Amino acid sequence: MSMAVVGLLAGMALGFAGYFGGFGAFLLVAALGAIGFVLGRFLDGDLEAADLLRPRGHGQGRGRDDRGR
C-alpha cells in the first residue's frame, strides 16, 4: 500500500473522528495513530528503542550507519 493511500486513510479517519466525536476524539485518534506509526516503524526494523531513549547531544559527529560498529 502506498504512502499516499495510507495518508488518505489516516486523514479520513481523523475527519470522521472530528465530525462525529468532536475535537477530543480527533486528538485521541491522532495520538493513537502516532503511537501506531512509531510501533509499526519499530516492528519493521526502521527504528530502534535506543533512538527514542538516547539524548539528542549523544554521539554527535557520527553518522546514522555507524551505530555499534
Side-chain angles (χ1 to χ4, degrees), residues 2 10 12 15 18-19 26 29-31 33-34 36-37 44-45 53 58 63 66:
S2 72
M12 289 175 59
Y19 182 76
F26 173 81
V29 170
F37 175 75
D44 282 342
L53 302 175
H58 180 71
D66 293 337

Side-chain angles (χ1 to χ4, degrees), residues 1-44:
M1 184 180 306
S2 72
M3 292 304 290
V5 173
V6 172
L8 174 67
L9 293 175
M12 289 175 59
L14 289 172
F16 280 122
Y19 182 76
F20 292 112
F23 188 69
F26 173 81
L27 291 178
L28 178 65
V29 170
L32 291 176
I35 291 169
F37 175 75
V38 171
L39 286 175
R41 295 284 305 260
F42 179 73
L43 293 175
D44 282 342

